Every structure is written in structure tokens, then in C-alpha cells.
Amino acid sequence: KKGSYDHFMQKEIHEQPHSLTTTMRGRLKDGGVLLGGLKEHLKTIRRSRRVVFIGCGTSYNAALAARTFVEELTGIPVTMEVASDLLDRQGPIYREDTAVFVSQSGETADTLLALDYALENGALCVGITNTVGSTLSRRTHCGIHINAGCEIGVASTKAYTSQIVVMAMLALAIGSDQISTQPRREAIISGLSSLPGHASEVLKLDSEMKELASSLIDSESLLVFGRGYNYATALEGALKVKEVALMHSEGMFAGEMKHGPLALVDENLPIIVIATRDACFSKQQSVIQQLLSRKGRLIIMCSKGDASAVSPNGSCRVIEVPQVADCLQPVINIIPLQLLAYHLTVLRGFDVDQPRNLAKSVTTQ
Ligand code: UD1
Ligand code: BG6
Ligand code: NA
């Protein structure tokens, strides 16, 4: 089943041009979005006071990546809940809420318990899952199957990018009655159609990421700074590195750098800064300047053609990625970080598909 690949994680990373295609198949129609599973519930969702995203691990990060564009395209406030924390707090969930549960397996215990809790509180419960027939799919009022194909590697990769794409389609569908955002929606729809091609393009960084991994093999820690649309990319990139390569790694808000993390910066600690083009670009440029003035060891992810704009004297290692619609950039930006985590794991001699202490589906609390 791995075909020409050594590991499922590697296969699933390289499959993304295809999995993204199957996720969108039959759902982008006549310049609009058609989600069969939501048709009857769109009106209720539009009237809701709040959207609450609920998940664990990578699925939570995917929802975080979607938060900004869901707010932008729907005008509905979005709050984020890690499933276990919602339960610990018994946080408020109301009848007027739309609770969106994101889970690759559809069987994660904390997510299902949070679903029971939201159902008891009378919220409309929507599922986003890769698994037809899963408990999540059955118990939610409605939902969307991400159709990414079976994912076997414990570290989620292709499900993450397909989840973000499904949430983009969800936001487009909810907002489709708004005239003022129509040009924006059209641009995103055309960006979605071009994503598989851009995913193929970014996968060509494979050997470059292997080389970068070999330069990081003995590091004790890796920081990843992101902001805006790509704060989630920082969290998810760091999660990949810690869960499979067993290296301490943390994703951080670049905007919080001065409030603590800056104290860690020296010549040795590798720091990835995500600085692809969007409304936050000039702020990221100044973050880079501040890190360089403290002799930080930087690896900068930027849009193609921006190497000299982010690293003026060529002193930093640069990862150039294709530019897509700003809100879809997280789908592209995570791919080099998945490749990096994969190669780092292999080079460090750890089990890629079955990392120490972890399970693909956590069905106990
Ligand atoms: C459905 C079919 C698909 C077919 C297409 C043709 C299924 C599983 N899907 O896809 O094979 O090609 O119509 O039009 O038969 N749901 C939940 N919770 C979830 C996920 C989904 O309740 O977490 C529900 C949906 O509300 C919907 C059903 O499951 O009623 C199927 O969802 P989905 O597969 O996303 O619908 P379509 O894309 O229309
Ligand atoms: C486990 C997996 O921790 O569950 C992660 O190892 C995954 O990869 C998390 O992100 C949540 O799983 P699911 O199936 O609910 O998306
Ligand atoms: Na259902």
C-alpha cells in the first residue's frame, strides 16, 4: 500500500495534490460552492450568533487556520475550543451557536464527549471528518466529509490540508448570500482550483527540506514564528516536528516575540519565521530584523521571488514557496514543514509512522 514510498507519512505528504483534488471534486460548481451535506442547514448557520470550532491536535490547528477567513467571509464571530479544555471548563455553549467538530478519524474521545455536551446544550452540531460512518459523522446534525482518502501515518498530513480546504468551502457557502464579498469569494474559488498544482510545485522542495533537516539533526529545539493566517502553520509545523522527530519544538505568535521568546534567541537555536506575502508581511520583515540584530539563526519561509526582501544580505536560509490567495497560503506553507519533520525523523532514526507513545486515534479520555 506504500507503493514506491518508504513510509505512509511520506506517501501521504506527496499525495496532497491528489487528496486536495478529491476533497474539492463535485463541490466547486458554476463559480460557486456546493456542499450536499449542508444544503438544508445553511440558513440556520447564517442566523447563528457564533461559530465554535472544536477539535484536538492537528484537527484543532486546521480549524485555527480557518478561523480568520470564516470570520471574514461570514461576519459571524468564531471562537476556538480544544475539546478537552471545553469539557474541563464546562464552557458556555448556546442554542444559537453553530458548533463545528473537526476530526480526521471521527472517533477521538474528547471530541465526541464535547459533541455530546454541545448536543445537550442545543447547539447546531456540524461535523468535518475524513471517515464516513464514524461516530462523529453519525451523531452530528449535518456535516462535510473531507474525502482525503484513508490516512495511516499517525502524524496527520493530508487530512490537515483537506480540512482547511473544506472549511474554506464552508465559509464560502455560508457567505454566498453576501454581495459585498462576492469578488473576494470569486478570487478564493479560483485560488482553490489552483491549489493542487501549487501543492505539486511546493513538493519539489523535498530534497531541499532533507538538506535542511540534516543541518538541524542535532538541535535540541526548534521555534516557529507565524502570525495572521499562518499562526496555525507555526503551531502545526512545530507539532509535526515534536510528534514524529521527537525534537522539542514550539509554534509562537510572532507578535508575542518581545513578550518572552526573544530571551531565548542566540546563535544556536534554529528559528523558522513564516513571512509569505499577506497583510502582515512588513510586520514579519521587522520581526526578522529584530531577530537578526540578536544574531538569531533564522530559516525564513517566503513567497517565491522574495528571498532578497526577507534576507537582504543573504545571511539567512530561505524556503521559497508559491504564492496563493492569502487565506489559502496555510495549505501550501505547511507542506515544506511536513517534509522537514519527515526527513528529520528518518535522519534521527525514529519510527515515522508509529511515533513513540502516540496513537492515530485516541479513543480514551
Ligand atoms: C454525497 C455522498 C457522495 C456522493 C455525493 C453526490 C456519502 C457519504 N456521500 O456527498 O458519495 O458522491 O453525495 O451528490 O454518501 N454528515 C454528517 N456529519 C459529518 C459529515 C457528514 O452528518 O461529520 C452528513 C451530511 O450532512 C450529509 C451526509 O453525511 O447528509 C454526506 O455528507 P458528504 O459526504 O459530505 O455529502 P456530499 O458531498 O453531498
Ligand atoms: C491523535 C493523533 O493525537 O489525535 C493526531 O495522533 C490527531 O495526529 C489527533 O491530530 C486528533 O485526531 P482526530 O482523528 O480527531 O483528527
Ligand atoms: Na450526521
Side-chain angles (χ1 to χ4, degrees):
K1 274 282 168 64
K2 282 181 291 202
S4 58
Y5 295 105
D6 296 326
H7 303 99
F8 285 108
M9 182 186 181
Q10 183 189 30
K11 170 175 175 276
E12 288 158 2
I13 292 170
H14 286 273
E15 228 167 57
Q16 289 175 104
H18 177 70
S19 52
L20 291 169
T21 303
T22 58
T23 295
M24 292 185 274
R25 183 165 293 148
R27 289 168 163 173
L28 298 181
K29 278 208 171 129
D30 311 320
V33 167
L34 187 89
L35 295 169
L38 287 190
K39 264 196 316 242
E40 258 111 74
H41 297 84
L42 273 180
K43 277 194 184 138
T44 315
I45 299 174
R46 283 185 191 127
R47 280 198 306 263
S48 54
R49 297 280 296 274
R50 172 174 79 145
V51 169
V52 187
F53 276 128
I54 303 166
C56 304
T58 290
S59 293
Y60 174 90
N61 290 343
L64 188 63
R67 179 191 200 171
T68 308
F69 62 68
V70 173
E71 287 185 331
E72 181 195 340
L73 292 173
T74 70
I76 306 171
V78 178
T79 59
M80 300 296 309
E81 294 285 357
V82 170
S84 61
D85 184 54
L86 175 67
L87 294 165
D88 290 347
R89 292 179 3 258
Q90 297 284 294
I93 298 284
Y94 303 111
R95 296 188 63 81
E96 300 77 14
D97 288 333
T98 294
V100 180
F101 296 84
V102 186
S103 171
Q104 188 284 132
S105 63
E107 301 296 349
T108 299
D110 286 326
T111 305
L112 294 177
L113 288 165
L115 170 60
D116 291 341
Y117 175 74
L119 287 168
E120 280 162 26
N121 285 280
L124 176 71
C125 293
V126 180
I128 294 178
T129 182
N130 198 25
T131 317
V132 176
S134 61
T135 311
L136 182 69
S137 177
R138 286 183 283 109
R139 284 203 208 144
T140 42
H141 295 119
C142 61
I144 312 161
H145 292 116
I146 70 170
N147 300 337
C150 184
E151 189 181 67
I152 293 169
V154 167
S156 182
T157 52
K158 64 175 180 172
Y160 178 75
T161 48
S162 283
Q163 284 165 340
I164 298 174
V165 161
V166 158
M167 287 183 267
M169 294 191 288
L170 171 68
L172 291 164
I174 300 171
S176 64
D177 62 337
Q178 296 178 11
I179 293 168
S180 63
T181 51
Q182 188 171 340
R184 172 73 166 151
R185 281 199 306 279
E186 284 167 4
I188 296 170
I189 290 172
S190 105
L192 282 171
S193 330
S194 69
L195 267 186
H198 286 120
S200 301
E201 195 183 331
V202 79
L203 281 165
K204 292 184 187 143
L205 292 173
D206 191 38
S207 54
E208 208 178 299
M209 290 304 107
K210 185 174 179 182
E211 201 186 298
L212 176 60
S214 68
S215 74
L216 298 176
I217 188 169
D218 294 321
S219 294
E220 273 173 20
S221 183
L222 173 68
L223 301 187
V224 191
F225 280 137
R227 72 194 314 146
Y229 292 117
N230 286 289
Y231 172 54
T233 309
L235 293 191
E236 176 58 12
L239 178 58
K240 287 289 86 86
V241 169
K242 87 182 87 169
E243 68 183 341
V244 283
L246 315 189
M247 180 186 288
H248 171 253
S249 185
E250 274 188 76
M252 294 174 169
F253 268 127
E256 280 285 287
M257 181 183 71
K258 288 180 190 162
H259 306 294
L262 204 48
L264 295 173
V265 177
D266 62 15
E267 295 95 329
N268 302 315
L269 173 67
I271 302 175
I272 298 179
V273 182
I274 302 166
T276 43
R277 286 277 171 172
D278 61 22
C280 297
F281 181 65
S282 63
K283 288 188 188 172
Q284 281 306 68
Q285 282 182 301
S286 91
V287 162
I288 291 166
Q289 285 319 310
Q290 293 171 51
L291 289 169
L292 285 178
S293 71
R294 274 130 189 124
K295 303 201 164 48
R297 179 177 165 196
L298 304 192
I299 299 144
I300 304 172
M301 183 183 292
C302 66
S303 303
K304 210 159 247 179
D306 266 350
S308 58
V310 296
S311 176
N313 54 11
S315 64
C316 304
R317 184 141 198 158
V318 169
I319 307 169
E320 286 187 80
V321 299
Q323 190 178 349
V324 296
D326 53 6
C327 66
L328 302 176
Q329 196 68 50
V331 173
I332 296 304
N333 289 1
I334 195 59
I335 294 176
L337 303 182
Q338 294 170 342
L339 290 168
L340 176 67
Y342 170 76
H343 288 298
L344 205 46
T345 309
V346 174
L347 292 169
R348 282 161 68 91
F350 296 121
D351 189 336
V352 176
D353 287 328
Q354 193 49 256
R356 182 175 78 191
N357 306 338
L358 300 181
K360 179 72 181 159
S361 182
V362 181
T363 54
T364 54
Q365 242 188 320

